Amino acid sequence: MEADVATRASVILSIFDQPRALNLSLAGYMAQSCKEFEIIVADDGSDHEVAEVIERYRKMGIVPIKHVWQENKGYRRSKIANTAFLKSEGEHIILTDGDCIPHHDYVKNQL
């Protein structure tokens, strides 16, 4: 049985206040050879610039993107990653950082 395009994998990107890096990372995910995934940005309290980057890519409609945010109360990456996991719909989870740029076949190779 073929998996639903949006739910085959959930890529969880952890980020904190790095809009330029997130922009490059999301550009890499938009160029993936395999589009059978969703992106969940696990945001550990970034300001509005990160949300603006996410919204710009969300509007492209290439892959579904969710933004899970928590208030900045110090380093709580594991908490926001767990929250993102609860929002995921993928059969597989791919955890990475929002400052990592994936190669063209990254999701395909993970699956």
Side-chain angles (χ1 to χ4, degrees):
M1 183 171 123
E2 188 83 8
D4 182 84
V5 170
T7 60
R8 183 141 183 238
S10 295
V11 176
I12 298 177
L13 300 176
S14 298
I15 192 78
F16 173 70
D17 268 345
Q18 292 182 296
R20 291 178 59 201
L22 181 62
N23 184 61
L24 294 172
S25 182
L26 289 175
Y29 284 102
M30 297 305 111
Q32 290 295 295
S33 62
C34 168
K35 302 284 195 262
E36 299 178 40
F37 65 98
E38 67 177 353
I39 295 172
I40 305 172
V41 179
D43 186 346
D44 191 15
S46 301
D47 63 21
H48 66 90
E49 290 181 76
V50 166
E52 291 169 2
V53 170
I54 294 166
E55 189 57 29
R56 189 167 55 249
Y57 281 95
R58 185 183 287 150
K59 287 180 180 178
M60 291 178 185
I62 297 171
V63 297
I65 302 175
K66 298 174 185 172
H67 183 198
V68 180
W69 182 88
Q70 68 186 7
E71 185 179 356
N72 182 358
K73 292 184 179 179
Y75 183 77
R76 299 184 304 150
R77 178 181 180 219
S78 59
K79 183 179 186 309
I80 195 62
N82 285 334
T83 302
F85 176 79
L86 293 173
K87 300 287 185 184
S88 68
E89 297 179 44
E91 296 173 21
H92 305 277
I93 302 294
I94 301 170
L95 292 167
T96 187
D97 290 326
D99 61 354
C100 295
I101 303 170
H103 63 80
H104 182 67
D105 290 324
Y106 179 74
V107 172
K108 178 183 171 185
N109 290 346
Q110 294 298 313
L111 290 172

PDB file of all heavy atoms in Angstrom, residues 54-68:
ATOM      1  N   ILE A  54       9.637  30.556   7.963  1.00  0.00           N
ATOM      2  CA  ILE A  54       8.770  29.373   7.884  1.00  0.00           C
ATOM      3  C   ILE A  54       7.545  29.670   7.033  1.00  0.00           C
ATOM      4  O   ILE A  54       7.174  28.881   6.155  1.00  0.00           O
ATOM      5  CB  ILE A  54       8.361  28.899   9.297  1.00  0.00           C
ATOM      6  CG1 ILE A  54       9.588  28.406  10.060  1.00  0.00           C
ATOM      7  CG2 ILE A  54       7.279  27.828   9.225  1.00  0.00           C
ATOM      8  CD1 ILE A  54       9.368  28.246  11.539  1.00  0.00           C
ATOM      9  N   GLU A  55       6.926  30.815   7.257  1.00  0.00           N
ATOM     10  CA  GLU A  55       5.719  31.167   6.513  1.00  0.00           C
ATOM     11  C   GLU A  55       5.996  31.316   5.018  1.00  0.00           C
ATOM     12  O   GLU A  55       5.196  30.895   4.183  1.00  0.00           O
ATOM     13  CB  GLU A  55       5.098  32.449   7.069  1.00  0.00           C
ATOM     14  CG  GLU A  55       3.737  32.766   6.487  1.00  0.00           C
ATOM     15  CD  GLU A  55       2.705  31.662   6.674  1.00  0.00           C
ATOM     16  OE1 GLU A  55       2.769  30.893   7.665  1.00  0.00           O
ATOM     17  OE2 GLU A  55       1.813  31.546   5.801  1.00  0.00           O
ATOM     18  N   ARG A  56       7.139  31.872   4.679  1.00  0.00           N
ATOM     19  CA  ARG A  56       7.512  32.024   3.269  1.00  0.00           C
ATOM     20  C   ARG A  56       7.586  30.648   2.584  1.00  0.00           C
ATOM     21  O   ARG A  56       7.070  30.456   1.485  1.00  0.00           O
ATOM     22  CB  ARG A  56       8.842  32.771   3.163  1.00  0.00           C
ATOM     23  CG  ARG A  56       9.212  33.178   1.759  1.00  0.00           C
ATOM     24  CD  ARG A  56      10.350  34.178   1.700  1.00  0.00           C
ATOM     25  NE  ARG A  56      11.567  33.772   2.393  1.00  0.00           N
ATOM     26  CZ  ARG A  56      12.034  34.336   3.510  1.00  0.00           C
ATOM     27  NH1 ARG A  56      11.398  35.334   4.081  1.00  0.00           N
ATOM     28  NH2 ARG A  56      13.159  33.896   4.054  1.00  0.00           N
ATOM     29  N   TYR A  57       8.193  29.676   3.240  1.00  0.00           N
ATOM     30  CA  TYR A  57       8.299  28.336   2.657  1.00  0.00           C
ATOM     31  C   TYR A  57       6.962  27.597   2.710  1.00  0.00           C
ATOM     32  O   TYR A  57       6.640  26.820   1.814  1.00  0.00           O
ATOM     33  CB  TYR A  57       9.402  27.524   3.336  1.00  0.00           C
ATOM     34  CG  TYR A  57      10.762  27.918   2.819  1.00  0.00           C
ATOM     35  CD1 TYR A  57      11.532  28.862   3.479  1.00  0.00           C
ATOM     36  CD2 TYR A  57      11.265  27.370   1.646  1.00  0.00           C
ATOM     37  CE1 TYR A  57      12.774  29.247   2.998  1.00  0.00           C
ATOM     38  CE2 TYR A  57      12.492  27.735   1.152  1.00  0.00           C
ATOM     39  CZ  TYR A  57      13.244  28.684   1.831  1.00  0.00           C
ATOM     40  OH  TYR A  57      14.466  29.052   1.328  1.00  0.00           O
ATOM     41  N   ARG A  58       6.192  27.821   3.741  1.00  0.00           N
ATOM     42  CA  ARG A  58       4.873  27.183   3.841  1.00  0.00           C
ATOM     43  C   ARG A  58       3.996  27.595   2.656  1.00  0.00           C
ATOM     44  O   ARG A  58       3.291  26.773   2.075  1.00  0.00           O
ATOM     45  CB  ARG A  58       4.207  27.571   5.157  1.00  0.00           C
ATOM     46  CG  ARG A  58       2.886  26.863   5.392  1.00  0.00           C
ATOM     47  CD  ARG A  58       2.219  27.318   6.657  1.00  0.00           C
ATOM     48  NE  ARG A  58       2.924  26.777   7.810  1.00  0.00           N
ATOM     49  CZ  ARG A  58       2.993  27.391   8.991  1.00  0.00           C
ATOM     50  NH1 ARG A  58       2.435  28.566   9.167  1.00  0.00           N
ATOM     51  NH2 ARG A  58       3.627  26.823   9.981  1.00  0.00           N
ATOM     52  N   LYS A  59       4.060  28.861   2.279  1.00  0.00           N
ATOM     53  CA  LYS A  59       3.252  29.370   1.164  1.00  0.00           C
ATOM     54  C   LYS A  59       3.644  28.747  -0.163  1.00  0.00           C
ATOM     55  O   LYS A  59       2.832  28.712  -1.088  1.00  0.00           O
ATOM     56  CB  LYS A  59       3.372  30.898   1.087  1.00  0.00           C
ATOM     57  CG  LYS A  59       2.620  31.608   2.177  1.00  0.00           C
ATOM     58  CD  LYS A  59       2.771  33.112   2.050  1.00  0.00           C
ATOM     59  CE  LYS A  59       2.012  33.817   3.151  1.00  0.00           C
ATOM     60  NZ  LYS A  59       2.190  35.281   3.081  1.00  0.00           N
ATOM     61  N   MET A  60       4.863  28.254  -0.295  1.00  0.00           N
ATOM     62  CA  MET A  60       5.289  27.599  -1.537  1.00  0.00           C
ATOM     63  C   MET A  60       4.490  26.333  -1.794  1.00  0.00           C
ATOM     64  O   MET A  60       4.293  25.941  -2.943  1.00  0.00           O
ATOM     65  CB  MET A  60       6.776  27.258  -1.486  1.00  0.00           C
ATOM     66  CG  MET A  60       7.675  28.445  -1.527  1.00  0.00           C
ATOM     67  SD  MET A  60       9.394  27.889  -1.412  1.00  0.00           S
ATOM     68  CE  MET A  60      10.240  29.448  -1.323  1.00  0.00           C
ATOM     69  N   GLY A  61       4.070  25.662  -0.735  1.00  0.00           N
ATOM     70  CA  GLY A  61       3.245  24.470  -0.866  1.00  0.00           C
ATOM     71  C   GLY A  61       3.949  23.240  -1.414  1.00  0.00           C
ATOM     72  O   GLY A  61       3.296  22.314  -1.879  1.00  0.00           O
ATOM     73  N   ILE A  62       5.261  23.216  -1.370  1.00  0.00           N
ATOM     74  CA  ILE A  62       5.998  22.063  -1.908  1.00  0.00           C
ATOM     75  C   ILE A  62       5.851  20.853  -0.996  1.00  0.00           C
ATOM     76  O   ILE A  62       5.578  19.747  -1.456  1.00  0.00           O
ATOM     77  CB  ILE A  62       7.476  22.433  -2.139  1.00  0.00           C
ATOM     78  CG1 ILE A  62       7.556  23.542  -3.200  1.00  0.00           C
ATOM     79  CG2 ILE A  62       8.291  21.206  -2.553  1.00  0.00           C
ATOM     80  CD1 ILE A  62       8.925  24.156  -3.372  1.00  0.00           C
ATOM     81  N   VAL A  63       6.050  21.053   0.302  1.00  0.00           N
ATOM     82  CA  VAL A  63       5.782  20.029   1.317  1.00  0.00           C
ATOM     83  C   VAL A  63       5.091  20.721   2.487  1.00  0.00           C
ATOM     84  O   VAL A  63       5.307  21.917   2.727  1.00  0.00           O
ATOM     85  CB  VAL A  63       7.067  19.300   1.802  1.00  0.00           C
ATOM     86  CG1 VAL A  63       7.722  18.537   0.671  1.00  0.00           C
ATOM     87  CG2 VAL A  63       8.040  20.241   2.449  1.00  0.00           C
ATOM     88  N   PRO A  64       4.270  20.002   3.238  1.00  0.00           N
ATOM     89  CA  PRO A  64       3.618  20.611   4.394  1.00  0.00           C
ATOM     90  C   PRO A  64       4.647  21.005   5.462  1.00  0.00           C
ATOM     91  O   PRO A  64       5.603  20.263   5.711  1.00  0.00           O
ATOM     92  CB  PRO A  64       2.702  19.510   4.925  1.00  0.00           C
ATOM     93  CG  PRO A  64       2.600  18.502   3.836  1.00  0.00           C
ATOM     94  CD  PRO A  64       3.842  18.623   3.018  1.00  0.00           C
ATOM     95  N   ILE A  65       4.440  22.160   6.067  1.00  0.00           N
ATOM     96  CA  ILE A  65       5.339  22.641   7.122  1.00  0.00           C
ATOM     97  C   ILE A  65       4.507  23.060   8.322  1.00  0.00           C
ATOM     98  O   ILE A  65       3.555  23.832   8.189  1.00  0.00           O
ATOM     99  CB  ILE A  65       6.196  23.833   6.653  1.00  0.00           C
ATOM    100  CG1 ILE A  65       7.033  23.454   5.428  1.00  0.00           C
ATOM    101  CG2 ILE A  65       7.089  24.329   7.796  1.00  0.00           C
ATOM    102  CD1 ILE A  65       7.820  24.611   4.832  1.00  0.00           C
ATOM    103  N   LYS A  66       4.887  22.546   9.485  1.00  0.00           N
ATOM    104  CA  LYS A  66       4.263  22.941  10.750  1.00  0.00           C
ATOM    105  C   LYS A  66       5.304  23.686  11.574  1.00  0.00           C
ATOM    106  O   LYS A  66       6.488  23.363  11.515  1.00  0.00           O
ATOM    107  CB  LYS A  66       3.791  21.708  11.533  1.00  0.00           C
ATOM    108  CG  LYS A  66       2.747  20.894  10.813  1.00  0.00           C
ATOM    109  CD  LYS A  66       2.443  19.618  11.584  1.00  0.00           C
ATOM    110  CE  LYS A  66       1.484  18.735  10.814  1.00  0.00           C
ATOM    111  NZ  LYS A  66       1.325  17.423  11.457  1.00  0.00           N
ATOM    112  N   HIS A  67       4.851  24.648  12.353  1.00  0.00           N
ATOM    113  CA  HIS A  67       5.740  25.413  13.230  1.00  0.00           C
ATOM    114  C   HIS A  67       5.284  25.207  14.660  1.00  0.00           C
ATOM    115  O   HIS A  67       4.176  25.595  15.030  1.00  0.00           O
ATOM    116  CB  HIS A  67       5.683  26.895  12.857  1.00  0.00           C
ATOM    117  CG  HIS A  67       6.608  27.753  13.630  1.00  0.00           C
ATOM    118  ND1 HIS A  67       6.459  29.120  13.703  1.00  0.00           N
ATOM    119  CD2 HIS A  67       7.710  27.471  14.371  1.00  0.00           C
ATOM    120  CE1 HIS A  67       7.424  29.641  14.434  1.00  0.00           C
ATOM    121  NE2 HIS A  67       8.193  28.651  14.860  1.00  0.00           N
ATOM    122  N   VAL A  68       6.122  24.564  15.457  1.00  0.00           N
ATOM    123  CA  VAL A  68       5.834  24.328  16.869  1.00  0.00           C
ATOM    124  C   VAL A  68       6.796  25.200  17.660  1.00  0.00           C
ATOM    125  O   VAL A  68       8.013  25.066  17.529  1.00  0.00           O
ATOM    126  CB  VAL A  68       6.020  22.827  17.233  1.00  0.00           C
ATOM    127  CG1 VAL A  68       5.714  22.591  18.686  1.00  0.00           C
ATOM    128  CG2 VAL A  68       5.149  21.960  16.344  1.00  0.00           C
TER     129      VAL A  68
END
